[in-house]
Amino acid sequence: MSVGGKGLVLETLRQASSQDAAILKPAEQQLQLWETEPGFYSTLVQIFSDHSVEVTVRWLAVLYFKNGVDRYWRKTAPKAISEEEKTSIRHGLLLNLGEPVPQVATQLAVLIGKIARVDCPREWGDLLPALFQAVRSTDQLVQHRTLLTLHHVVKQLASKRLAADRRTFQELTGQMYTFLVELWQNQTEAFLGQGSCPEAAIPSLERSHLALKVLRKLTVHGFKKPEESQEAMLFLHSVFERIRVMLTFRKQHLNNDHMRDIAEKYIVLLTKVLRDMLDDFPFSYLRFIKPSLELTTYYMFTAAGDGLVFERFTVQCLNLIKAILLSPEYKPCKVIEDTKNPQTLEAFRIKAEFFTESVLAEICHKLVSHYFLLTAEDLESWESDPEGFCAEVEGGESWKYSLRPCTETLFVSLFHEYRSFLVPVLVNLVRSSQCPVDPRDFMAILQKDAVYCAAGLAAFELFDDVDFDQWFTSTLVEELRIQDSNYRVIRRRVIWLVGQWTGVKFSPEHRPTLYQAVIHLLAAEEDLVVRLGAASTLRLALDDFEFDPEQFMPFLPTIFGLLFELLKEVKECDTKMQVLHVMSFMIEVVGAGIRPHAAPLAQYLPGLWNASIDHNLLRCAILTTLVHMVTGLMRESEGLHEFLISIIRVSTDVREPCHVYLVEDGLLLWQTTLENTANPHPALLGLYDNMIPLIQMSSENLRLCLQITNAYTLLCPEQFLAKYGEQVVKTMASLLTDLKSEGTVLVMRTVEMVLRVLPGPGADLLRPLLPPVMMKVAEADCYPILMSMYLSLLARLVLYSQDAFTWTLNQTITSENRSPEDLLERVVWVWSDKLPLVSPEERRKLCALGLAHLCGSGWPPVMKVWPAAVSAVVEVVYDVTLEDSTQDKLVVSGSGNVGSPEPLELETEHVCRRQRLAEGDPVHTTSLRDFLGNQMKRMKDTVDLATITTLAQDLDHNCRVLLQEVTPA
């Protein structure tokens, strides 16, 4: 069905640009229906090409066209645009290179670029020639729009990564590079020559900027080896001179905002050309290493840059220096003579010649004395928005765009590369700044702050050269006590500095002094920025390898209370998260020691949870804090169940949008709550309604979900399995069809837990899962750990419920279409063969108990493989019997240590339940040696003596001796 003409589409677009939802929605639906209609996109071209149509409607037409290109332009797309219509569209697009509206022109350029990525040069061979012709136009508007379009076309073509596409782009580069370099030079000369009339220079400046954007992509992506292209090398050489010229040009036009903005973008783009070349072709960049270092250090670290540089240019220059320093291609082997690449050696030589001791000292002094100083903007932010001032992005790539992270990473990089030169410089700076300064001398305070910042950043490099303990006790502690308002800058920096050195070189005997200082700095009358800094340092001290909880306990009540007050006082979500993480970690490291002090936080968190409905990251922090709090409170956490259950329900409900962010932390809190609960109740049990959908998702949280299921099975087996047992079994049966071995083992452990806590009813409940288990054993084609689980389940069936074992055998026979005798014989043979591979030892004994029980049954199919089965059991008897004794080492009497906590595991209520269950397990209550003897006696009652004698002839001597010892006369 064809579209009903331009007028109808135009009117629908007008309705789609309406602010009235009643008009807008039907129009959008109609446009969506037309997306696959022949002629629709040609009509859109006609509409946005008509300059008499309203700008908003034309702009909307371009957007719909652009979205359509993404979906329907490729030949392989469903309901793709026909080739005839594409030809017409491509012709129409090239008629719009004089678009007067900037917003529409930008969208058109992007649109043409998207089509060019698919069609150029094969289906749209006349695109680039048409653009080259248009860019020569005397009409400045056409020239500008053509360069804009060319920029987007080249950007799209350069992004293609297949080898054939890259070769094509390199061929195109060869055809257009000379022309574009000349165009760029001409436009640059044009705007530089308009000194007397700045406004007249703007069009030429904009066109030169666009031409430079195109050249950046061509230079970086259009040459296989740029160093072999004389034009590319000449262009790169000219970039350095253009940077110098443009810095002067910008200074001359500081009062013209538009001109200054374009000039700054232009300068930054020039430096990006250099950085891109360095990143993509480090060896091609060899000849530019020295000019780059000379240029950047001249403007960044000498007085020549004063009044010329600006922040974004500074960031680019400092990052260029750092990239040269850290480029792996420029680093020789530790033994320089082992370096085989001469270009690497050449780069190393250039760097070594440039970074002399005097140059490095000058750079270090400039970084510390100029770039590390807090600026007026920083101090204003400190005053007006202290929480925003403290918000630091840890990690990430902020150094690419922000000045302070950029200077700090360069400083650290220089120290890594030239430690021997820079350590004496920094040590001298530190020593000269150790004395307290006059609080009224604010510049001296800022200088000291900068030096302390450097000492913290280079802490690892100064390990052997600075006695931090002596510095801390003699100077830093005293500076923390100076209460002048100006000195808050130093108090904040000193406590940060201590945090940086805590994991480097800070003696444990000085920790109490640090904790006392933290208490002083967390006080309510202290500056908020200083308080937040103290909290961050405390977190580092708690996380240190040498942290001693006993040493910290005397300070815990006061510090925890002060942190709680700080948490209530701060307003921003990120800041609350920061403080909450400190408190959470503190609760984690002190464990049960938090019990007397947790009540106020427990009362505060429900309100914070309700207030953070739109801040899922803060809610994650609350969940993590509660996990540590419940772990520390242990059984006392039952008093928090009402709140805990409510937030666990929200966090793990798949119908709640927030569950995507909260589910993992919510499940961990759920598990921790169950493990520390002694008395189950209906609200806690009803929470499991959320679990079935989570298990069905079979996600990365499956392990946690099954661990929670096991915890419920141990906590309240009768109530839990009566209410949810059938759902759980049905869900696990569906899961087993597509789980890998690791996931199947997790499910089997849950199945085994049900059998252990309720042997009889559990076996009946689990019947749908049992025939596949026996079938897998008969197939004998699975990993040892999985076979161990399957054999364990069959062993428990044999020991707990022979009726369930027989039923499982018959059900498997029905599905496998084989006789019961054949299947049982096969299962017992596999059982005997795989028993030595079962681990751990407890599980191997369990499987041996089950196999011994079958050996004593006297069933004919078992008798066929009886010698192999008994031999396997006897081997396990030897494994579990103490040396020079007949005692089974796995049997415990009274309250033994089976099921005891693992290393670093707390003795929670769950662990106690697990221990009680293990103490009653056949593995720990039954001697395998005695059990085997009883089974042999049982077999004598059902099998004639001649058969037994014949079977015994196939046993080795040791096996016969053991059987004679254990079998009653």
Side-chain angles (χ1 to χ4, degrees), residues 286 289 341-351:
L286 270 178
I289 294 177
N341 191 329
Q343 292 176 301
T344 299
L345 292 173
E346 176 64 13
F348 179 71
R349 182 190 63 78
I350 295 171
K351 289 198 298 180

Side-chain angles (χ1 to χ4, degrees), residues 127-181:
L127 172 61
L128 292 174
L131 293 177
F132 292 157
Q133 181 179 356
V135 85
R136 293 184 173 91
S137 171
T138 55
D139 187 328
Q140 291 189 356
L141 178 64
V142 172
Q143 197 175 42
H144 180 278
R145 300 300 189 246
T146 304
L147 280 170
L148 178 64
T149 303
L150 186 60
H151 160 58
H152 284 282
V153 169
V154 169
K155 182 179 179 181
Q156 288 289 338
L157 295 179
S159 68
K160 300 173 79 169
R161 287 293 175 263
L162 293 178
D165 293 326
R166 299 188 74 168
R167 284 194 298 270
T168 301
F169 187 70
Q170 289 166 7
E171 292 172 3
L172 292 174
T173 299
Q175 298 171 16
M176 68 175 84
Y177 197 79
T178 302
F179 168 72
L180 283 165
V181 170

Side-chain angles (χ1 to χ4, degrees), residues 798-829:
V798 170
L799 296 173
Y800 296 157
S801 177
Q802 194 162 316
D803 289 342
F805 181 81
T806 305
W807 179 89
T808 303
L809 188 65
N810 291 328
Q811 287 297 113
T812 312
I813 290 167
T814 303
S815 61
E816 287 292 289
N817 196 22
R818 63 167 75 180
S819 68
E821 293 79 7
D822 290 344
L823 179 60
L824 183 56
E825 179 186 347
R826 171 66 178 173
V827 168
V828 175
W829 184 87

Side-chain angles (χ1 to χ4, degrees), residues 336-483:
I336 296 180
E337 290 73 15
D338 293 343
T339 307
K340 297 180 180 179
N341 191 329
Q343 292 176 301
T344 299
L345 292 173
E346 176 64 13
F348 179 71
R349 182 190 63 78
I350 295 171
K351 289 198 298 180
E353 289 180 355
F354 182 83
F355 287 111
T356 61
E357 187 172 355
S358 60
V359 169
L360 288 168
E362 183 180 351
I363 291 175
C364 181
H365 278 288
K366 184 75 172 183
L367 284 171
V368 175
S369 63
H370 179 73
Y371 290 106
F372 284 3
L373 292 180
L374 291 175
T375 64
E377 291 79 7
D378 293 331
L379 296 172
E380 172 61 27
S381 174
W382 185 323
E383 289 289 346
S384 61
D385 183 17
E387 294 183 44
F389 177 83
C390 293
E392 296 181 1
V393 180
E394 294 185 4
E397 296 186 339
S398 59
W399 55 269
K400 287 186 175 181
Y401 316 105
S402 300
L403 181 59
R404 185 166 296 279
C406 168
T407 56
E408 291 176 354
T409 55
L410 174 61
F411 181 79
V412 172
S413 301
L414 281 167
F415 254 85
H416 284 321
E417 293 295 309
Y418 302 104
R419 181 184 181 280
S420 59
F421 290 151
L422 290 175
V423 164
V425 177
L426 186 53
V427 168
N428 288 334
L429 285 173
V430 170
R431 288 173 180 165
S432 64
S433 301
Q434 285 188 354
C435 297
V437 298
D438 185 348
R440 295 169 297 181
D441 188 349
F442 198 65
M443 181 51 66
I445 287 176
L446 294 181
Q447 291 285 355
K448 177 186 277 284
D449 174 79
V451 172
Y452 283 9
C453 175
L457 294 172
F460 283 98
E461 307 296 338
L462 298 176
F463 180 89
D464 295 322
D465 300 277
V466 172
D467 184 350
F468 189 77
D469 289 339
Q470 190 273 334
W471 187 14
F472 175 73
T473 54
S474 65
T475 304
L476 298 181
V477 170
E478 295 302 320
E479 291 193 298
L480 289 175
R481 294 171 181 158
I482 300 176
Q483 289 301 304

Side-chain angles (χ1 to χ4, degrees), residues 137-371:
S137 171
T138 55
D139 187 328
Q140 291 189 356
L141 178 64
V142 172
Q143 197 175 42
H144 180 278
R145 300 300 189 246
T146 304
L147 280 170
L148 178 64
T149 303
L150 186 60
H151 160 58
H152 284 282
V153 169
V154 169
K155 182 179 179 181
Q156 288 289 338
L157 295 179
S159 68
K160 300 173 79 169
R161 287 293 175 263
L162 293 178
D165 293 326
R166 299 188 74 168
R167 284 194 298 270
T168 301
F169 187 70
Q170 289 166 7
E171 292 172 3
L172 292 174
T173 299
Q175 298 171 16
M176 68 175 84
Y177 197 79
T178 302
F179 168 72
L180 283 165
V181 170
E182 292 177 357
L183 177 66
W184 172 64
Q185 291 173 338
N186 292 337
Q187 294 297 327
T188 304
E189 296 299 331
F191 76 76
L192 290 176
Q194 296 285 342
S196 59
C197 185
E199 293 299 326
I202 290 178
S204 298
L205 177 58
E206 291 177 343
R207 291 194 294 272
S208 177
H209 185 230
L210 286 171
L212 181 59
K213 285 185 175 183
V214 179
L215 283 171
R216 176 191 176 192
K217 293 296 180 183
L218 294 178
T219 306
V220 175
H221 300 287
F223 297 100
K224 189 174 183 179
K225 294 181 178 180
E227 69 272 19
E228 295 179 356
S229 169
Q230 184 179 0
E231 289 180 318
M233 293 297 100
L234 289 173
F235 167 69
L236 289 171
H237 275 294
S238 67
V239 166
F240 293 94
E241 180 57 33
R242 290 297 183 217
I243 290 175
R244 295 184 177 91
V245 172
M246 287 304 299
L247 286 171
T248 304
F249 179 85
R250 171 188 170 273
K251 185 177 180 180
Q252 294 170 348
H253 298 90
L254 284 176
N255 296 327
N256 187 323
D257 292 344
H258 184 52
M259 184 85 80
R260 185 192 65 239
D261 290 344
I262 301 176
E264 289 183 356
K265 291 178 182 178
Y266 195 108
I267 295 167
V268 169
L269 184 60
L270 286 167
T271 57
K272 286 181 178 179
V273 173
L274 301 178
R275 180 64 193 276
D276 288 350
M277 280 299 299
L278 173 60
D279 290 343
D280 288 19
F281 299 99
F283 291 130
S284 301
Y285 199 77
L286 270 178
R287 68 183 72 180
F288 302 109
I289 294 177
K290 186 176 180 181
S292 298
L293 293 174
E294 289 175 343
L295 174 80
T296 51
T297 54
Y298 177 74
Y299 285 110
M300 298 300 108
F301 300 109
T302 69
D306 296 347
L308 289 175
V309 300
F310 54 98
E311 183 170 319
R312 284 189 298 155
F313 175 63
T314 302
V315 169
Q316 292 294 329
C317 287
L318 297 181
N319 283 334
L320 183 59
I321 297 173
K322 192 184 77 164
I324 293 173
L325 283 171
L326 300 183
S327 175
E329 287 81 5
Y330 295 166
K331 291 186 176 182
C333 303
K334 288 187 177 180
V335 179
I336 296 180
E337 290 73 15
D338 293 343
T339 307
K340 297 180 180 179
N341 191 329
Q343 292 176 301
T344 299
L345 292 173
E346 176 64 13
F348 179 71
R349 182 190 63 78
I350 295 171
K351 289 198 298 180
E353 289 180 355
F354 182 83
F355 287 111
T356 61
E357 187 172 355
S358 60
V359 169
L360 288 168
E362 183 180 351
I363 291 175
C364 181
H365 278 288
K366 184 75 172 183
L367 284 171
V368 175
S369 63
H370 179 73
Y371 290 106

Side-chain angles (χ1 to χ4, degrees), residues 12-20 24 27-28 54 56-57 60:
T12 307
L13 285 169
R14 286 194 175 109
Q15 294 171 359
S17 61
S18 170
Q19 301 300 313
D20 187 346
L24 183 145
E28 287 183 338
E54 305 93 305
T56 54
V57 175
L60 190 60

